[in-house]
Each structure stands twice: as structure tokens, then as C-alpha cells.
């Protein structure tokens, strides 16, 4: 009559240890112990994984991503507003865009180790596109907000994301014409080069442009800006880095 107890106990211990490991991982990322584990598991569940592992209705991190995007933008906007009291709205909007654009968030997500925690369908290598980790970071912000409240979420954004990983001085003083430099290099190598706007994202009264630069029809870098010109510049900057051109 006591036969099933041991298997049940083993299953319980496996579940307990899994939760304990996950708690430690999240605490290491956000700097505090999570209370509602379900929120964080959901934040790190990509749509592809949910579809792969469930039939019928499934939950993903998309709703948390929506919430986190709004909170992240708000905290960054407030920080810039206080940091640059004499700059106009256009300057503040541009710097905020450079901080919270998808490429920047992807890089930050990897730096804090979030890419190691995201659940994604690994059977389809095309699924892990460049936005998976950045989306998960936004969803994580949403999870922290629901779990800990606004003040602790704001502290996480400023102390764990912005200050350690964003060089505001570099963002605000970069004025080089990267596009001209990259074009000159390509011409000197007898290579074809072109810039193409591949995405437009409307945010209120502004439009965020995504530019991709191609050399001999091979995409080498992507940049995001609040105008086509600035998006091209950022793409060119990334291209120069990728090609190791100083």
C-alpha cells in the first residue's frame, strides 16, 4: 500500500530542485528573490516553445512584453529628462530610441545572461531570430512590475540595465559620418553597397526606422533611428564594427 510513495517523493524533489535553481537564476539577474515564479517562467517562454509544448490554448511572453516595453520606455524617458535638463524633445526621443531599440535590448539581454534562460523551439533554428532575447528582456520587465511594483522595477532598469550597459556619453557625443566612411571603404574595394529601410515602427507621433546595409548583396548590419538618415548612420556604424574598419 505504500509502493507509490517513493516515486511521488522523487518527483516532488525534482520539482522542488528545479524551482530552486530557477529562483537562483532569476535572483541573479534581477537582484532580488522572485515571489511569483509563474510570471518569470511566462516572461521567458517564447511563442515557438509554447506552440511546441502545448496543444490548443497556450501562454507566451507577448503580453508581458507589451507591458514591459511601456514601462521600460517610461523609466528611460524619465531618466533622460532629469539627466539632460537643457536638451529638447527631439534629442531626448532620439537617445531613448537608441537605448530601447531591439538591437540594444538584445545585446543587454545577452550581457545579463537572459539568453540562457529563454525557452524557445530549438528544432527550428530560424526561430531564434535577433529579437527573441530583447523581447524576453521586455517581458522580464513586465514580470518584475507585476511581481514587485513600479519602484523596484525602476531600480532594476536603472541599476541592472541602464547604468552598467549603456554609455550615455558615447551615445550623445557620436557625430561621425559613418555612412560616408563605409561607402568610401566599399568603393575603394570595388564592392557594391546599398542601404535599405526594412521596417517602420510607429510609436505615438514618431516613427522608428530600421535600416539594413548590404555589401555585394550580403547583409552585414542593421541600425535603428527616428529618421531614415539616422537609421542608415547606425547601420553603417555597426557595419564598420563588423568589418573591423577603424
Amino acid at each position: 500500500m505504500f509502493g507509490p510513495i517513493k516515486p511521488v517523493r522523487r518527483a516532488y524533489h525534482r520539482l522542488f530542485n528545479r524551482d530552486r535553481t530557477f529562483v537562483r537564476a532569476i535572483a541573479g539577474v534581477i537582484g532580488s528573490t522572485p515571489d511569483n515564479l509563474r510570471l518569470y517562467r511566462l516572461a521567458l517562454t517564447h511563442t515557438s516553445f509554447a506552440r511546441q509544448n502545448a496543444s490548443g490554448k497556450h501562454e507566451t511572453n507577448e503580453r508581458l512584453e507589451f507591458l514591459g516595453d511601456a514601462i521600460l520606455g517610461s523609466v528611460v524617458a524619465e531618466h533622460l529628462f532629469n539627466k539632460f535638463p537643457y536638451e529638447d524633445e527631439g534629442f531626448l526621443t532620439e537617445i531613448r530610441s537608441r537605448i530601447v531599440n531591439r538591437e540594444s535590448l538584445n545585446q543587454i539581454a545577452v550581457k545579463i545572461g537572459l539568453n540562457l534562460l529563454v525557452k524557445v523551439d530549438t528544432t527550428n533554428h530560424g526561430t531564434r531570430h535577433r529579437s527573441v532575447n530583447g523581447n524576453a528582456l521586455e517581458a522580464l520587465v513586465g514580470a518584475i512590475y507585476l511581481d514587485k511594483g513600479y519602484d523596484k522595477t525602476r531600480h532594476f532598469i536603472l541599476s541592472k540595465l541602464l547604468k552598467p550597459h549603456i554609455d550615455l556619453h558615447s551615445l550623445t557625443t557620436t557625430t561621425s559620418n559613418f555612412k560616408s566612411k563605409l561607402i568610401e571603404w566599399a568603393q575603394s574595394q570595388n564592392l557594391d553597397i546599398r542601404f535599405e529601410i526594412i521596417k517602420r515602427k510607429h510609436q505615438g507621433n514618431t516613427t522608428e526606422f530600421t535600416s539594413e546595409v548590404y555589401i555585394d548583396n550580403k547583409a552585414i548590419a542593421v541600425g535603428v533611428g527616428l529618421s531614415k538618415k539616422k537609421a542608415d548612420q547606425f547601420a553603417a556604424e555597426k557595419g564598420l564594427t563588423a568589418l573591423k574598419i577603424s
Side-chain angles (χ1 to χ4, degrees):
M1 63 180 293
F2 297 106
I5 292 179
K6 287 186 178 179
V8 170
R9 185 177 296 166
R10 284 196 294 269
Y12 171 79
H13 283 305
R14 284 197 298 269
L15 181 63
F16 176 78
N17 289 333
R18 186 185 69 178
D19 283 348
R20 187 167 57 180
T21 300
F22 185 70
V23 167
R24 284 200 298 264
I26 293 298
V29 171
I30 71 175
S32 62
T33 303
D35 295 319
N36 188 338
L37 284 185
R38 178 185 172 278
L39 286 171
Y40 297 92
R41 292 193 190 282
L42 188 59
L44 299 174
T45 302
H46 186 255
T47 304
S48 63
F49 183 87
R51 289 174 179 165
Q52 179 192 35
N53 290 273
S55 58
K57 183 178 180 181
H58 56 269
E59 292 185 299
T60 73
N61 62 4
E62 291 174 341
R63 282 171 53 84
L64 284 174
E65 179 192 339
F66 165 80
L67 178 62
D69 174 61
I71 296 167
L72 181 63
S74 174
V75 171
V76 171
E78 179 199 13
H79 180 71
L80 296 176
F81 183 85
N82 293 326
K83 183 78 173 177
F84 303 103
Y86 303 110
E87 298 290 352
D88 62 17
E89 179 267 348
F91 171 88
L92 298 175
T93 300
E94 179 63 39
I95 299 302
R96 181 183 62 181
S97 176
R98 295 190 68 176
I99 292 172
V100 303
N101 70 52
R102 189 62 55 222
E103 185 176 357
S104 175
L105 294 184
N106 285 333
Q107 292 174 358
I108 295 174
V110 172
K111 287 178 181 177
I112 66 175
L114 207 61
N115 58 308
L116 302 177
L117 300 175
V118 177
K119 293 181 179 180
V120 64
D121 179 6
T122 55
T123 63
N124 182 0
H125 297 293
T127 300
R128 188 174 277 278
H129 49 80
R130 66 190 65 179
S131 66
V132 168
N133 296 319
N135 292 348
L137 179 56
E138 288 181 332
L140 178 67
V141 170
I144 298 171
Y145 171 74
L146 294 177
D147 187 39
K148 301 289 187 179
Y150 181 80
D151 288 342
K152 290 187 177 180
T153 307
R154 179 179 180 274
H155 177 74
F156 165 74
I157 292 170
L158 295 178
S159 65
K160 299 293 185 179
L161 305 182
L162 199 61
K163 293 179 181 178
H165 302 298
I166 297 296
D167 185 348
L168 279 179
H169 177 74
S170 176
L171 283 181
T172 56
T173 58
T174 300
T175 57
S176 300
N177 192 333
F178 299 109
K179 185 175 181 179
S180 293
K181 186 173 183 178
L182 185 59
I183 290 174
E184 289 174 4
W185 175 86
Q187 291 175 341
S188 71
Q189 304 297 314
N190 293 319
L191 300 172
D192 291 327
I193 181 171
R194 79 175 193 276
F195 292 80
E196 183 177 325
I197 298 299
I198 60 173
K199 183 179 179 182
R200 291 173 173 82
K201 181 179 179 182
H202 299 288
Q203 296 177 319
N205 295 324
T206 63
T207 301
E208 183 181 83
F209 296 89
T210 300
S211 172
E212 191 157 32
V213 56
Y214 298 82
I215 292 184
D216 273 2
N217 289 320
K218 180 181 179 181
I220 64 166
V222 172
V224 179
L226 294 182
S227 69
K228 295 178 182 179
K229 181 178 179 181
K230 290 177 180 177
D232 285 350
Q233 283 288 341
F234 298 144
E237 180 182 6
K238 296 296 182 183
L240 289 167
T241 301
L243 294 170
K244 298 181 180 179
I245 301 172
S246 58

